[in-house]
PDB file of all heavy atoms in Angstrom:
ATOM      1  N   VAL A 250       0.866  -1.243  -0.003  1.00  0.00           N
ATOM      2  CA  VAL A 250      -0.095  -0.048   0.019  1.00  0.00           C
ATOM      3  C   VAL A 250       0.841   1.226  -0.023  1.00  0.00           C
ATOM      4  O   VAL A 250       0.624   2.204  -0.756  1.00  0.00           O
ATOM      5  CB  VAL A 250      -0.946   0.028   1.198  1.00  0.00           C
ATOM      6  CG1 VAL A 250      -1.790   1.331   1.257  1.00  0.00           C
ATOM      7  CG2 VAL A 250      -1.967  -1.241   1.143  1.00  0.00           C
ATOM      8  N   ALA A 251       1.917   1.235   0.778  1.00  0.00           N
ATOM      9  CA  ALA A 251       2.844   2.422   0.811  1.00  0.00           C
ATOM     10  C   ALA A 251       3.445   2.748  -0.555  1.00  0.00           C
ATOM     11  O   ALA A 251       3.403   3.824  -0.924  1.00  0.00           O
ATOM     12  CB  ALA A 251       4.044   2.146   1.808  1.00  0.00           C
ATOM     13  N   THR A 252       3.920   1.743  -1.266  1.00  0.00           N
ATOM     14  CA  THR A 252       4.575   1.983  -2.515  1.00  0.00           C
ATOM     15  C   THR A 252       3.509   2.301  -3.591  1.00  0.00           C
ATOM     16  O   THR A 252       3.751   3.039  -4.471  1.00  0.00           O
ATOM     17  CB  THR A 252       5.410   0.829  -2.988  1.00  0.00           C
ATOM     18  OG1 THR A 252       4.693  -0.450  -2.897  1.00  0.00           O
ATOM     19  CG2 THR A 252       6.699   0.686  -2.145  1.00  0.00           C
ATOM     20  N   GLU A 253       2.353   1.735  -3.515  1.00  0.00           N
ATOM     21  CA  GLU A 253       1.309   2.008  -4.514  1.00  0.00           C
ATOM     22  C   GLU A 253       0.795   3.394  -4.315  1.00  0.00           C
ATOM     23  O   GLU A 253       0.476   4.190  -5.194  1.00  0.00           O
ATOM     24  CB  GLU A 253       0.083   1.082  -4.318  1.00  0.00           C
ATOM     25  CG  GLU A 253      -0.893   1.211  -5.434  1.00  0.00           C
ATOM     26  CD  GLU A 253      -0.436   1.240  -6.816  1.00  0.00           C
ATOM     27  OE1 GLU A 253       0.522   0.430  -7.073  1.00  0.00           O
ATOM     28  OE2 GLU A 253      -0.837   2.006  -7.653  1.00  0.00           O
ATOM     29  N   ASP A 254       0.677   3.962  -2.943  1.00  0.00           N
ATOM     30  CA  ASP A 254       0.241   5.274  -2.708  1.00  0.00           C
ATOM     31  C   ASP A 254       1.266   6.268  -3.214  1.00  0.00           C
ATOM     32  O   ASP A 254       0.969   7.328  -3.765  1.00  0.00           O
ATOM     33  CB  ASP A 254       0.081   5.493  -1.120  1.00  0.00           C
ATOM     34  CG  ASP A 254      -1.307   5.062  -0.680  1.00  0.00           C
ATOM     35  OD1 ASP A 254      -2.115   4.533  -1.508  1.00  0.00           O
ATOM     36  OD2 ASP A 254      -1.617   5.344   0.448  1.00  0.00           O
ATOM     37  N   PHE A 255       2.550   5.851  -3.131  1.00  0.00           N
ATOM     38  CA  PHE A 255       3.592   6.635  -3.766  1.00  0.00           C
ATOM     39  C   PHE A 255       3.469   6.807  -5.266  1.00  0.00           C
ATOM     40  O   PHE A 255       3.525   7.872  -5.838  1.00  0.00           O
ATOM     41  CB  PHE A 255       4.981   6.169  -3.387  1.00  0.00           C
ATOM     42  CG  PHE A 255       6.252   6.866  -4.023  1.00  0.00           C
ATOM     43  CD1 PHE A 255       6.327   8.243  -3.807  1.00  0.00           C
ATOM     44  CD2 PHE A 255       6.975   6.218  -4.869  1.00  0.00           C
ATOM     45  CE1 PHE A 255       7.439   8.858  -4.450  1.00  0.00           C
ATOM     46  CE2 PHE A 255       8.108   6.851  -5.504  1.00  0.00           C
ATOM     47  CZ  PHE A 255       8.303   8.209  -5.250  1.00  0.00           C
ATOM     48  N   ARG A 256       3.297   5.589  -5.959  1.00  0.00           N
ATOM     49  CA  ARG A 256       3.102   5.656  -7.351  1.00  0.00           C
ATOM     50  C   ARG A 256       1.849   6.500  -7.687  1.00  0.00           C
ATOM     51  O   ARG A 256       1.949   7.186  -8.799  1.00  0.00           O
ATOM     52  CB  ARG A 256       2.907   4.209  -7.851  1.00  0.00           C
ATOM     53  CG  ARG A 256       2.595   4.053  -9.291  1.00  0.00           C
ATOM     54  CD  ARG A 256       2.380   2.622  -9.709  1.00  0.00           C
ATOM     55  NE  ARG A 256       3.619   1.808  -9.770  1.00  0.00           N
ATOM     56  CZ  ARG A 256       4.546   1.943 -10.710  1.00  0.00           C
ATOM     57  NH1 ARG A 256       4.312   2.753 -11.832  1.00  0.00           N
ATOM     58  NH2 ARG A 256       5.593   1.263 -10.684  1.00  0.00           N
ATOM     59  N   ALA A 257       0.847   6.366  -7.030  1.00  0.00           N
ATOM     60  CA  ALA A 257      -0.381   7.109  -7.312  1.00  0.00           C
ATOM     61  C   ALA A 257      -0.313   8.584  -6.984  1.00  0.00           C
ATOM     62  O   ALA A 257      -1.292   9.370  -7.336  1.00  0.00           O
ATOM     63  CB  ALA A 257      -1.564   6.438  -6.599  1.00  0.00           C
ATOM     64  N   GLY A 258       0.769   9.023  -6.322  1.00  0.00           N
ATOM     65  CA  GLY A 258       0.803  10.527  -6.017  1.00  0.00           C
ATOM     66  C   GLY A 258       0.327  10.909  -4.709  1.00  0.00           C
ATOM     67  O   GLY A 258       0.316  12.026  -4.272  1.00  0.00           O
ATOM     68  N   VAL A 259      -0.137   9.892  -3.816  1.00  0.00           N
ATOM     69  CA  VAL A 259      -0.669  10.198  -2.490  1.00  0.00           C
ATOM     70  C   VAL A 259       0.579  10.642  -1.693  1.00  0.00           C
ATOM     71  O   VAL A 259       0.400  11.498  -0.798  1.00  0.00           O
ATOM     72  CB  VAL A 259      -1.400   8.922  -1.871  1.00  0.00           C
ATOM     73  CG1 VAL A 259      -1.751   9.280  -0.478  1.00  0.00           C
ATOM     74  CG2 VAL A 259      -2.576   8.567  -2.662  1.00  0.00           C
ATOM     75  N   CYS A 260       1.693   9.906  -1.891  1.00  0.00           N
ATOM     76  CA  CYS A 260       2.973  10.220  -1.120  1.00  0.00           C
ATOM     77  C   CYS A 260       3.848  10.996  -2.142  1.00  0.00           C
ATOM     78  O   CYS A 260       3.893  10.632  -3.351  1.00  0.00           O
ATOM     79  CB  CYS A 260       3.594   9.000  -0.687  1.00  0.00           C
ATOM     80  SG  CYS A 260       2.540   7.840   0.159  1.00  0.00           S
ATOM     81  N   ASP A 261       4.647  11.894  -1.609  1.00  0.00           N
ATOM     82  CA  ASP A 261       5.716  12.611  -2.446  1.00  0.00           C
ATOM     83  C   ASP A 261       7.080  11.769  -2.357  1.00  0.00           C
ATOM     84  O   ASP A 261       7.969  11.985  -3.194  1.00  0.00           O
ATOM     85  CB  ASP A 261       5.927  13.978  -1.959  1.00  0.00           C
ATOM     86  CG  ASP A 261       4.544  14.771  -2.084  1.00  0.00           C
ATOM     87  OD1 ASP A 261       3.900  14.879  -3.126  1.00  0.00           O
ATOM     88  OD2 ASP A 261       4.158  15.329  -1.070  1.00  0.00           O
ATOM     89  N   ALA A 262       7.165  10.990  -1.300  1.00  0.00           N
ATOM     90  CA  ALA A 262       8.340  10.128  -1.093  1.00  0.00           C
ATOM     91  C   ALA A 262       7.982   8.942  -0.323  1.00  0.00           C
ATOM     92  O   ALA A 262       6.940   8.889   0.267  1.00  0.00           O
ATOM     93  CB  ALA A 262       9.380  11.031  -0.327  1.00  0.00           C
ATOM     94  N   VAL A 263       8.780   7.920  -0.448  1.00  0.00           N
ATOM     95  CA  VAL A 263       8.476   6.626   0.258  1.00  0.00           C
ATOM     96  C   VAL A 263       9.772   5.996   0.762  1.00  0.00           C
ATOM     97  O   VAL A 263      10.808   6.204   0.126  1.00  0.00           O
ATOM     98  CB  VAL A 263       7.743   5.690  -0.703  1.00  0.00           C
ATOM     99  CG1 VAL A 263       8.710   5.223  -1.873  1.00  0.00           C
ATOM    100  CG2 VAL A 263       7.129   4.523   0.043  1.00  0.00           C
ATOM    101  N   MET A 264       9.657   5.336   1.866  1.00  0.00           N
ATOM    102  CA  MET A 264      10.755   4.465   2.269  1.00  0.00           C
ATOM    103  C   MET A 264      10.243   3.089   2.532  1.00  0.00           C
ATOM    104  O   MET A 264       9.230   2.812   3.226  1.00  0.00           O
ATOM    105  CB  MET A 264      11.205   5.021   3.783  1.00  0.00           C
ATOM    106  CG  MET A 264      12.079   6.245   3.683  1.00  0.00           C
ATOM    107  SD  MET A 264      12.596   6.745   5.298  1.00  0.00           S
ATOM    108  CE  MET A 264      13.632   5.294   5.826  1.00  0.00           C
ATOM    109  N   ALA A 265      10.917   2.182   1.841  1.00  0.00           N
ATOM    110  CA  ALA A 265      10.491   0.770   1.734  1.00  0.00           C
ATOM    111  C   ALA A 265      11.701  -0.042   1.338  1.00  0.00           C
ATOM    112  O   ALA A 265      12.794   0.477   1.031  1.00  0.00           O
ATOM    113  CB  ALA A 265       9.323   0.644   0.789  1.00  0.00           C
ATOM    114  N   THR A 266      11.564  -1.346   1.322  1.00  0.00           N
ATOM    115  CA  THR A 266      12.716  -2.228   1.034  1.00  0.00           C
ATOM    116  C   THR A 266      12.974  -2.160  -0.445  1.00  0.00           C
ATOM    117  O   THR A 266      12.066  -1.753  -1.286  1.00  0.00           O
ATOM    118  CB  THR A 266      12.521  -3.688   1.402  1.00  0.00           C
ATOM    119  OG1 THR A 266      11.379  -4.229   0.610  1.00  0.00           O
ATOM    120  CG2 THR A 266      12.122  -3.755   2.864  1.00  0.00           C
ATOM    121  N   ALA A 267      14.215  -2.497  -0.796  1.00  0.00           N
ATOM    122  CA  ALA A 267      14.556  -2.451  -2.220  1.00  0.00           C
ATOM    123  C   ALA A 267      13.836  -3.322  -3.128  1.00  0.00           C
ATOM    124  O   ALA A 267      13.670  -3.141  -4.349  1.00  0.00           O
ATOM    125  CB  ALA A 267      16.083  -2.675  -2.403  1.00  0.00           C
ATOM    126  N   PHE A 268      13.225  -4.417  -2.426  1.00  0.00           N
ATOM    127  CA  PHE A 268      12.351  -5.267  -3.223  1.00  0.00           C
ATOM    128  C   PHE A 268      11.181  -4.578  -3.955  1.00  0.00           C
ATOM    129  O   PHE A 268      10.782  -4.846  -5.031  1.00  0.00           O
ATOM    130  CB  PHE A 268      11.679  -6.383  -2.429  1.00  0.00           C
ATOM    131  CG  PHE A 268      12.806  -7.255  -1.712  1.00  0.00           C
ATOM    132  CD1 PHE A 268      12.742  -7.407  -0.304  1.00  0.00           C
ATOM    133  CD2 PHE A 268      13.659  -8.008  -2.422  1.00  0.00           C
ATOM    134  CE1 PHE A 268      13.784  -8.173   0.273  1.00  0.00           C
ATOM    135  CE2 PHE A 268      14.637  -8.842  -1.758  1.00  0.00           C
ATOM    136  CZ  PHE A 268      14.711  -8.945  -0.419  1.00  0.00           C
ATOM    137  N   ARG A 269      10.621  -3.567  -3.181  1.00  0.00           N
ATOM    138  CA  ARG A 269       9.490  -2.812  -3.786  1.00  0.00           C
ATOM    139  C   ARG A 269       9.984  -1.552  -4.492  1.00  0.00           C
ATOM    140  O   ARG A 269       9.265  -1.045  -5.359  1.00  0.00           O
ATOM    141  CB  ARG A 269       8.588  -2.376  -2.562  1.00  0.00           C
ATOM    142  CG  ARG A 269       7.848  -3.509  -1.971  1.00  0.00           C
ATOM    143  CD  ARG A 269       6.635  -3.850  -2.793  1.00  0.00           C
ATOM    144  NE  ARG A 269       5.764  -4.818  -2.116  1.00  0.00           N
ATOM    145  CZ  ARG A 269       4.652  -5.369  -2.653  1.00  0.00           C
ATOM    146  NH1 ARG A 269       4.395  -5.014  -3.861  1.00  0.00           N
ATOM    147  NH2 ARG A 269       3.947  -6.229  -1.983  1.00  0.00           N
ATOM    148  N   THR A 270      11.120  -0.994  -4.103  1.00  0.00           N
ATOM    149  CA  THR A 270      11.499   0.269  -4.747  1.00  0.00           C
ATOM    150  C   THR A 270      12.363   0.021  -6.104  1.00  0.00           C
ATOM    151  O   THR A 270      12.632   0.999  -6.771  1.00  0.00           O
ATOM    152  CB  THR A 270      12.389   1.081  -3.818  1.00  0.00           C
ATOM    153  OG1 THR A 270      13.658   0.429  -3.503  1.00  0.00           O
ATOM    154  CG2 THR A 270      11.764   1.450  -2.518  1.00  0.00           C
ATOM    155  N   ARG A 271      12.572  -1.219  -6.281  1.00  0.00           N
ATOM    156  CA  ARG A 271      13.263  -1.570  -7.621  1.00  0.00           C
ATOM    157  C   ARG A 271      12.607  -0.944  -8.851  1.00  0.00           C
ATOM    158  O   ARG A 271      13.217  -0.566  -9.821  1.00  0.00           O
ATOM    159  CB  ARG A 271      13.411  -3.096  -7.734  1.00  0.00           C
ATOM    160  CG  ARG A 271      14.311  -3.485  -8.870  1.00  0.00           C
ATOM    161  CD  ARG A 271      14.358  -5.064  -8.979  1.00  0.00           C
ATOM    162  NE  ARG A 271      14.904  -5.678  -7.762  1.00  0.00           N
ATOM    163  CZ  ARG A 271      16.065  -5.891  -7.498  1.00  0.00           C
ATOM    164  NH1 ARG A 271      17.080  -5.545  -8.388  1.00  0.00           N
ATOM    165  NH2 ARG A 271      16.482  -6.476  -6.331  1.00  0.00           N
ATOM    166  N   GLN A 272      11.224  -0.923  -8.667  1.00  0.00           N
ATOM    167  CA  GLN A 272      10.495  -0.400  -9.864  1.00  0.00           C
ATOM    168  C   GLN A 272      10.723   1.085 -10.129  1.00  0.00           C
ATOM    169  O   GLN A 272      10.469   1.561 -11.310  1.00  0.00           O
ATOM    170  CB  GLN A 272       8.971  -0.678  -9.537  1.00  0.00           C
ATOM    171  CG  GLN A 272       8.492   0.085  -8.312  1.00  0.00           C
ATOM    172  CD  GLN A 272       7.091  -0.253  -7.977  1.00  0.00           C
ATOM    173  OE1 GLN A 272       6.160  -0.038  -8.777  1.00  0.00           O
ATOM    174  NE2 GLN A 272       6.807  -0.712  -6.711  1.00  0.00           N
ATOM    175  N   PHE A 273      11.204   1.795  -9.136  1.00  0.00           N
ATOM    176  CA  PHE A 273      11.466   3.228  -9.279  1.00  0.00           C
ATOM    177  C   PHE A 273      12.927   3.543  -9.512  1.00  0.00           C
ATOM    178  O   PHE A 273      13.217   4.577 -10.165  1.00  0.00           O
ATOM    179  CB  PHE A 273      11.109   3.975  -8.009  1.00  0.00           C
ATOM    180  CG  PHE A 273       9.688   3.734  -7.541  1.00  0.00           C
ATOM    181  CD1 PHE A 273       9.332   3.028  -6.353  1.00  0.00           C
ATOM    182  CD2 PHE A 273       8.518   4.041  -8.372  1.00  0.00           C
ATOM    183  CE1 PHE A 273       8.110   2.801  -5.970  1.00  0.00           C
ATOM    184  CE2 PHE A 273       7.245   3.779  -7.969  1.00  0.00           C
ATOM    185  CZ  PHE A 273       6.969   3.163  -6.753  1.00  0.00           C
ATOM    186  N   ASN A 274      13.846   2.642  -9.162  1.00  0.00           N
ATOM    187  CA  ASN A 274      15.232   2.792  -9.581  1.00  0.00           C
ATOM    188  C   ASN A 274      15.916   1.455  -9.440  1.00  0.00           C
ATOM    189  O   ASN A 274      16.271   0.936  -8.370  1.00  0.00           O
ATOM    190  CB  ASN A 274      15.953   3.822  -8.705  1.00  0.00           C
ATOM    191  CG  ASN A 274      17.377   4.174  -9.209  1.00  0.00           C
ATOM    192  OD1 ASN A 274      18.228   3.347  -9.147  1.00  0.00           O
ATOM    193  ND2 ASN A 274      17.475   5.326  -9.809  1.00  0.00           N
ATOM    194  N   ALA A 275      16.238   0.815 -10.566  1.00  0.00           N
ATOM    195  CA  ALA A 275      16.837  -0.511 -10.591  1.00  0.00           C
ATOM    196  C   ALA A 275      18.271  -0.554 -10.210  1.00  0.00           C
ATOM    197  O   ALA A 275      18.864  -1.533  -9.668  1.00  0.00           O
ATOM    198  CB  ALA A 275      16.521  -1.113 -12.010  1.00  0.00           C
ATOM    199  N   VAL A 276      18.964   0.629 -10.516  1.00  0.00           N
ATOM    200  CA  VAL A 276      20.370   0.691 -10.196  1.00  0.00           C
ATOM    201  C   VAL A 276      20.684   0.612  -8.775  1.00  0.00           C
ATOM    202  O   VAL A 276      21.479  -0.205  -8.292  1.00  0.00           O
ATOM    203  CB  VAL A 276      20.986   2.004 -10.830  1.00  0.00           C
ATOM    204  CG1 VAL A 276      22.466   2.154 -10.314  1.00  0.00           C
ATOM    205  CG2 VAL A 276      20.960   1.999 -12.345  1.00  0.00           C
ATOM    206  N   ALA A 277      19.998   1.403  -7.999  1.00  0.00           N
ATOM    207  CA  ALA A 277      20.203   1.435  -6.503  1.00  0.00           C
ATOM    208  C   ALA A 277      19.767   0.087  -5.918  1.00  0.00           C
ATOM    209  O   ALA A 277      20.332  -0.438  -5.009  1.00  0.00           O
ATOM    210  CB  ALA A 277      19.395   2.557  -5.880  1.00  0.00           C
ATOM    211  N   ALA A 278      18.622  -0.431  -6.440  1.00  0.00           N
ATOM    212  CA  ALA A 278      18.120  -1.726  -5.838  1.00  0.00           C
ATOM    213  C   ALA A 278      19.030  -2.918  -6.164  1.00  0.00           C
ATOM    214  O   ALA A 278      18.865  -3.942  -5.547  1.00  0.00           O
ATOM    215  CB  ALA A 278      16.831  -1.995  -6.398  1.00  0.00           C
TER     216      ALA A 278
END
């Protein structure tokens, strides 16, 4: 829900594990 809310614009930033944030930056993940 946290990462989906970020994707949808509900959140301006998100903190989550790299498993979920890989979709936003694969290099860092």
Side-chain angles (χ1 to χ4, degrees):
V250 175
T252 49
E253 188 51 41
D254 274 4
F255 174 61
R256 175 183 285 283
V259 175
C260 313
D261 303 305
V263 68
M264 282 182 62
T266 66
F268 298 122
R269 288 282 188 184
T270 63
R271 190 182 301 274
Q272 61 187 305
F273 307 116
N274 190 291
V276 173

